[in-house]
Short mmCIF file of all heavy atoms in Angstrom, two decimals:
data_model
loop_
_atom_site.label_atom_id
_atom_site.label_comp_id
_atom_site.label_asym_id
_atom_site.label_seq_id
_atom_site.Cartn_x
_atom_site.Cartn_y
_atom_site.Cartn_z
N THR A 1400 136.69 102.39 71.66
CA THR A 1400 137.90 102.46 72.48
C THR A 1400 137.64 101.97 73.91
O THR A 1400 136.72 102.45 74.60
CB THR A 1400 138.43 103.90 72.52
OG1 THR A 1400 138.65 104.35 71.19
CG2 THR A 1400 139.73 103.96 73.31
N GLY A 1401 138.43 101.00 74.34
CA GLY A 1401 138.33 100.50 75.70
C GLY A 1401 137.13 99.61 75.96
O GLY A 1401 136.86 99.24 77.10
N LYS A 1402 136.41 99.24 74.91
CA LYS A 1402 135.20 98.43 75.07
C LYS A 1402 135.46 96.96 74.72
O LYS A 1402 136.37 96.63 73.95
CB LYS A 1402 134.08 98.96 74.15
CG LYS A 1402 133.70 100.42 74.39
CD LYS A 1402 132.97 100.60 75.70
CE LYS A 1402 132.60 102.06 75.96
NZ LYS A 1402 131.62 102.57 75.00
N ASN A 1403 134.65 96.09 75.28
CA ASN A 1403 134.66 94.68 74.91
C ASN A 1403 133.72 94.48 73.72
O ASN A 1403 132.54 94.85 73.78
CB ASN A 1403 134.21 93.81 76.08
CG ASN A 1403 135.17 93.86 77.24
OD1 ASN A 1403 136.39 93.90 77.05
ND2 ASN A 1403 134.65 93.86 78.46
N ILE A 1404 134.25 93.91 72.66
CA ILE A 1404 133.51 93.77 71.40
C ILE A 1404 133.32 92.30 71.07
O ILE A 1404 134.27 91.50 71.19
CB ILE A 1404 134.27 94.44 70.23
CG1 ILE A 1404 134.74 95.84 70.60
CG2 ILE A 1404 133.43 94.45 68.96
CD1 ILE A 1404 133.63 96.81 70.89
N ALA A 1405 132.12 91.94 70.63
CA ALA A 1405 131.87 90.58 70.14
C ALA A 1405 131.49 90.67 68.66
O ALA A 1405 130.56 91.40 68.29
CB ALA A 1405 130.75 89.90 70.93
N ILE A 1406 132.22 89.94 67.82
CA ILE A 1406 131.96 89.93 66.38
C ILE A 1406 131.36 88.58 66.01
O ILE A 1406 132.00 87.53 66.16
CB ILE A 1406 133.26 90.16 65.58
CG1 ILE A 1406 133.93 91.47 66.02
CG2 ILE A 1406 132.97 90.19 64.08
CD1 ILE A 1406 135.36 91.61 65.50
N LEU A 1407 130.13 88.59 65.52
CA LEU A 1407 129.45 87.36 65.15
C LEU A 1407 129.79 87.01 63.71
O LEU A 1407 129.55 87.80 62.80
CB LEU A 1407 127.93 87.50 65.30
CG LEU A 1407 127.40 88.11 66.60
CD1 LEU A 1407 125.87 88.05 66.62
CD2 LEU A 1407 127.99 87.42 67.82
N GLY A 1408 130.38 85.82 63.50
CA GLY A 1408 130.69 85.38 62.14
C GLY A 1408 132.17 85.34 61.86
O GLY A 1408 132.99 85.91 62.59
N SER A 1409 132.52 84.66 60.75
CA SER A 1409 133.93 84.47 60.42
C SER A 1409 134.24 84.74 58.95
O SER A 1409 135.26 84.31 58.44
CB SER A 1409 134.35 83.02 60.76
OG SER A 1409 133.52 82.09 60.09
N GLY A 1410 133.36 85.46 58.27
CA GLY A 1410 133.56 85.75 56.85
C GLY A 1410 134.40 86.99 56.61
O GLY A 1410 135.08 87.50 57.51
N GLY A 1411 134.34 87.48 55.36
CA GLY A 1411 135.17 88.62 54.96
C GLY A 1411 134.87 89.89 55.75
O GLY A 1411 135.79 90.62 56.13
N VAL A 1412 133.60 90.14 56.02
CA VAL A 1412 133.25 91.36 56.76
C VAL A 1412 133.74 91.28 58.19
O VAL A 1412 134.19 92.28 58.77
CB VAL A 1412 131.73 91.60 56.73
CG1 VAL A 1412 131.37 92.85 57.54
CG2 VAL A 1412 131.24 91.78 55.30
N SER A 1413 133.69 90.10 58.79
CA SER A 1413 134.12 89.98 60.19
C SER A 1413 135.59 90.31 60.35
O SER A 1413 136.01 90.89 61.37
CB SER A 1413 133.83 88.57 60.71
OG SER A 1413 134.62 87.61 60.06
N SER A 1414 136.41 89.97 59.34
CA SER A 1414 137.84 90.31 59.44
C SER A 1414 138.05 91.82 59.33
O SER A 1414 138.95 92.39 59.96
CB SER A 1414 138.64 89.59 58.35
OG SER A 1414 138.22 89.97 57.06
N THR A 1415 137.18 92.48 58.57
CA THR A 1415 137.23 93.95 58.48
C THR A 1415 136.85 94.58 59.81
O THR A 1415 137.50 95.51 60.29
CB THR A 1415 136.29 94.45 57.37
OG1 THR A 1415 136.70 93.90 56.12
CG2 THR A 1415 136.29 95.97 57.29
N VAL A 1416 135.80 94.05 60.43
CA VAL A 1416 135.36 94.54 61.74
C VAL A 1416 136.47 94.36 62.77
O VAL A 1416 136.77 95.28 63.55
CB VAL A 1416 134.08 93.81 62.20
CG1 VAL A 1416 133.68 94.29 63.60
CG2 VAL A 1416 132.94 94.03 61.23
N GLU A 1417 137.09 93.21 62.76
CA GLU A 1417 138.16 92.94 63.73
C GLU A 1417 139.34 93.90 63.54
O GLU A 1417 139.89 94.43 64.52
CB GLU A 1417 138.65 91.50 63.58
CG GLU A 1417 139.73 91.14 64.59
CD GLU A 1417 140.29 89.76 64.36
OE1 GLU A 1417 139.96 89.12 63.35
OE2 GLU A 1417 141.09 89.31 65.22
N CYS A 1418 139.71 94.15 62.31
CA CYS A 1418 140.81 95.06 62.02
C CYS A 1418 140.53 96.46 62.57
O CYS A 1418 141.39 97.08 63.21
CB CYS A 1418 141.04 95.11 60.51
SG CYS A 1418 142.40 96.17 60.00
N ILE A 1419 139.32 96.94 62.33
CA ILE A 1419 138.94 98.28 62.82
C ILE A 1419 138.91 98.30 64.35
O ILE A 1419 139.38 99.26 64.98
CB ILE A 1419 137.59 98.70 62.24
CG1 ILE A 1419 137.70 98.90 60.73
CG2 ILE A 1419 137.07 99.97 62.91
CD1 ILE A 1419 136.38 99.16 60.04
N ALA A 1420 138.36 97.25 64.95
CA ALA A 1420 138.28 97.20 66.41
C ALA A 1420 139.66 97.26 67.04
O ALA A 1420 139.87 97.93 68.07
CB ALA A 1420 137.54 95.93 66.84
N LYS A 1421 140.62 96.60 66.43
CA LYS A 1421 142.00 96.66 66.93
C LYS A 1421 142.58 98.06 66.79
O LYS A 1421 143.21 98.59 67.71
CB LYS A 1421 142.87 95.65 66.19
CG LYS A 1421 142.61 94.20 66.57
CD LYS A 1421 143.48 93.25 65.76
CE LYS A 1421 143.26 91.80 66.16
NZ LYS A 1421 144.06 90.85 65.33
N GLU A 1422 142.37 98.67 65.63
CA GLU A 1422 142.91 100.01 65.40
C GLU A 1422 142.29 101.05 66.31
O GLU A 1422 142.94 102.04 66.66
CB GLU A 1422 142.69 100.39 63.94
CG GLU A 1422 143.55 99.58 62.97
CD GLU A 1422 143.34 99.98 61.53
OE1 GLU A 1422 142.50 100.87 61.27
OE2 GLU A 1422 144.00 99.40 60.65
N LEU A 1423 141.02 100.82 66.69
CA LEU A 1423 140.34 101.77 67.58
C LEU A 1423 140.53 101.41 69.05
O LEU A 1423 139.85 101.96 69.92
CB LEU A 1423 138.86 101.83 67.24
CG LEU A 1423 138.53 102.40 65.85
CD1 LEU A 1423 137.02 102.38 65.59
CD2 LEU A 1423 139.06 103.82 65.69
N ASN A 1424 141.44 100.47 69.31
CA ASN A 1424 141.84 100.11 70.68
C ASN A 1424 140.70 99.55 71.53
O ASN A 1424 140.49 99.97 72.68
CB ASN A 1424 142.46 101.33 71.38
CG ASN A 1424 143.72 101.80 70.69
OD1 ASN A 1424 144.59 101.00 70.34
ND2 ASN A 1424 143.82 103.10 70.46
N ALA A 1425 139.97 98.61 70.94
CA ALA A 1425 139.00 97.87 71.74
C ALA A 1425 139.74 97.12 72.84
O ALA A 1425 140.88 96.69 72.66
CB ALA A 1425 138.22 96.91 70.86
N LYS A 1426 139.09 96.96 73.97
CA LYS A 1426 139.74 96.30 75.10
C LYS A 1426 139.91 94.81 74.83
O LYS A 1426 141.02 94.26 74.90
CB LYS A 1426 138.91 96.51 76.37
CG LYS A 1426 139.54 95.93 77.62
CD LYS A 1426 138.68 96.23 78.85
CE LYS A 1426 139.30 95.66 80.11
NZ LYS A 1426 138.44 95.94 81.30
N ASN A 1427 138.82 94.12 74.55
CA ASN A 1427 138.84 92.70 74.20
C ASN A 1427 137.97 92.48 72.97
O ASN A 1427 136.91 93.11 72.84
CB ASN A 1427 138.29 91.83 75.35
CG ASN A 1427 139.23 91.82 76.54
OD1 ASN A 1427 140.37 91.40 76.43
ND2 ASN A 1427 138.74 92.27 77.69
N ILE A 1428 138.42 91.62 72.08
CA ILE A 1428 137.66 91.32 70.87
C ILE A 1428 137.36 89.82 70.87
O ILE A 1428 138.27 89.00 70.79
CB ILE A 1428 138.45 91.70 69.60
CG1 ILE A 1428 138.80 93.19 69.62
CG2 ILE A 1428 137.65 91.35 68.35
CD1 ILE A 1428 139.78 93.60 68.54
N TYR A 1429 136.08 89.50 70.97
CA TYR A 1429 135.66 88.10 70.93
C TYR A 1429 135.12 87.79 69.54
O TYR A 1429 134.20 88.46 69.06
CB TYR A 1429 134.56 87.84 71.97
CG TYR A 1429 134.97 88.12 73.40
CD1 TYR A 1429 134.51 89.25 74.07
CD2 TYR A 1429 135.82 87.25 74.07
CE1 TYR A 1429 134.88 89.51 75.38
CE2 TYR A 1429 136.21 87.50 75.38
CZ TYR A 1429 135.73 88.62 76.03
OH TYR A 1429 136.11 88.88 77.33
N ARG A 1430 135.69 86.80 68.89
CA ARG A 1430 135.18 86.36 67.59
C ARG A 1430 134.33 85.11 67.83
O ARG A 1430 134.78 84.16 68.47
CB ARG A 1430 136.34 86.07 66.65
CG ARG A 1430 137.15 87.33 66.32
CD ARG A 1430 138.20 87.08 65.26
NE ARG A 1430 139.22 86.16 65.74
CZ ARG A 1430 140.20 85.68 64.99
NH1 ARG A 1430 140.28 85.99 63.70
NH2 ARG A 1430 141.10 84.86 65.49
N ILE A 1431 133.13 85.15 67.28
CA ILE A 1431 132.15 84.12 67.63
C ILE A 1431 131.82 83.26 66.40
O ILE A 1431 131.59 83.77 65.30
CB ILE A 1431 130.83 84.76 68.14
CG1 ILE A 1431 131.11 85.96 69.06
CG2 ILE A 1431 129.97 83.70 68.83
CD1 ILE A 1431 131.93 85.65 70.28
N SER A 1432 131.81 81.96 66.61
CA SER A 1432 131.48 81.02 65.55
C SER A 1432 130.53 79.95 66.10
O SER A 1432 130.53 79.67 67.30
CB SER A 1432 132.75 80.34 65.02
OG SER A 1432 132.44 79.35 64.06
N ARG A 1433 129.73 79.37 65.22
CA ARG A 1433 128.80 78.33 65.68
C ARG A 1433 129.55 77.08 66.15
O ARG A 1433 129.12 76.40 67.07
CB ARG A 1433 127.84 77.96 64.54
CG ARG A 1433 126.71 78.96 64.36
CD ARG A 1433 125.81 78.58 63.20
NE ARG A 1433 126.51 78.64 61.93
CZ ARG A 1433 125.95 78.38 60.75
NH1 ARG A 1433 124.69 78.01 60.70
NH2 ARG A 1433 126.65 78.47 59.63
N LYS A 1434 130.68 76.78 65.49
CA LYS A 1434 131.45 75.60 65.85
C LYS A 1434 132.79 76.02 66.47
O LYS A 1434 133.40 77.00 66.04
CB LYS A 1434 131.70 74.74 64.61
CG LYS A 1434 130.43 74.19 64.00
CD LYS A 1434 130.72 73.36 62.76
CE LYS A 1434 129.45 72.81 62.14
NZ LYS A 1434 129.73 72.02 60.92
N PRO A 1435 133.26 75.28 67.46
CA PRO A 1435 134.54 75.62 68.10
C PRO A 1435 135.68 75.57 67.10
O PRO A 1435 135.79 74.64 66.30
CB PRO A 1435 134.69 74.51 69.16
CG PRO A 1435 133.33 73.96 69.36
CD PRO A 1435 132.62 74.09 68.04
N LYS A 1436 136.52 76.60 67.10
CA LYS A 1436 137.73 76.59 66.29
C LYS A 1436 138.72 77.59 66.88
O LYS A 1436 138.37 78.41 67.73
CB LYS A 1436 137.44 76.89 64.83
CG LYS A 1436 136.72 78.19 64.54
CD LYS A 1436 136.47 78.28 63.02
CE LYS A 1436 135.72 79.52 62.66
NZ LYS A 1436 135.51 79.65 61.19
N GLN A 1437 139.94 77.52 66.38
CA GLN A 1437 141.02 78.32 66.95
C GLN A 1437 140.70 79.81 66.87
O GLN A 1437 140.25 80.31 65.85
CB GLN A 1437 142.33 78.04 66.20
CG GLN A 1437 143.55 78.69 66.84
CD GLN A 1437 144.83 78.30 66.12
OE1 GLN A 1437 144.80 77.60 65.12
NE2 GLN A 1437 145.96 78.76 66.62
N ASP A 1438 140.96 80.51 67.98
CA ASP A 1438 140.77 81.96 68.11
C ASP A 1438 139.31 82.39 68.09
O ASP A 1438 139.01 83.58 67.95
CB ASP A 1438 141.53 82.71 67.01
CG ASP A 1438 143.04 82.47 67.09
OD1 ASP A 1438 143.55 82.32 68.21
OD2 ASP A 1438 143.69 82.42 66.03
N TYR A 1439 138.37 81.45 68.18
CA TYR A 1439 136.95 81.77 68.23
C TYR A 1439 136.34 81.13 69.48
O TYR A 1439 136.84 80.13 69.99
CB TYR A 1439 136.22 81.22 67.00
CG TYR A 1439 136.44 82.02 65.74
CD1 TYR A 1439 137.61 81.83 64.99
CD2 TYR A 1439 135.51 82.94 65.29
CE1 TYR A 1439 137.83 82.56 63.83
CE2 TYR A 1439 135.72 83.67 64.13
CZ TYR A 1439 136.88 83.47 63.40
OH TYR A 1439 137.10 84.19 62.26
N ILE A 1440 135.24 81.73 69.94
CA ILE A 1440 134.44 81.09 70.97
C ILE A 1440 133.05 80.84 70.38
O ILE A 1440 132.67 81.46 69.37
CB ILE A 1440 134.34 81.92 72.26
CG1 ILE A 1440 133.63 83.27 72.00
CG2 ILE A 1440 135.71 82.15 72.86
CD1 ILE A 1440 133.33 84.05 73.26
N THR A 1441 132.29 79.95 70.98
CA THR A 1441 130.95 79.64 70.48
C THR A 1441 129.94 80.65 71.05
O THR A 1441 130.24 81.40 71.99
CB THR A 1441 130.53 78.23 70.89
OG1 THR A 1441 130.42 78.17 72.33
CG2 THR A 1441 131.54 77.20 70.40
N TYR A 1442 128.76 80.64 70.48
CA TYR A 1442 127.70 81.52 70.96
C TYR A 1442 127.32 81.19 72.40
O TYR A 1442 127.00 82.10 73.18
CB TYR A 1442 126.47 81.41 70.04
CG TYR A 1442 126.71 82.07 68.70
CD1 TYR A 1442 127.20 81.34 67.62
CD2 TYR A 1442 126.47 83.42 68.52
CE1 TYR A 1442 127.43 81.94 66.40
CE2 TYR A 1442 126.70 84.03 67.30
CZ TYR A 1442 127.19 83.29 66.24
OH TYR A 1442 127.44 83.90 65.04
#
C-alpha cells in the first residue's frame, strides 16, 4: 500500500502481480520489459 512497485516481465505471473498490486493500492506500478512497448518501460 502506497509503495512504488516494479514488476519484471510480461508473462502470466506478471499480470497476476499487477492485479494484486492495484488491489492493494500501490502508489505506482512500473511494468518492465527488455524491449520498449506500450505500458512498459525498459530495464
Side-chain angles (χ1 to χ4, degrees):
T1400 304
K1402 302 289 179 66
N1403 295 322
I1404 312 296
I1406 304 168
L1407 312 185
S1409 56
V1412 178
S1413 66
S1414 61
T1415 299
V1416 177
E1417 182 185 7
C1418 181
I1419 293 173
K1421 287 178 178 178
E1422 291 181 358
L1423 295 178
N1424 298 314
K1426 183 178 180 181
N1427 291 300
I1428 302 170
Y1429 300 106
R1430 296 186 294 174
I1431 319 300
S1432 175
R1433 281 178 295 181
K1434 297 179 180 179
K1436 57 182 178 178
Q1437 187 176 3
D1438 299 326
Y1439 284 81
I1440 63 172
T1441 64
Y1442 288 92

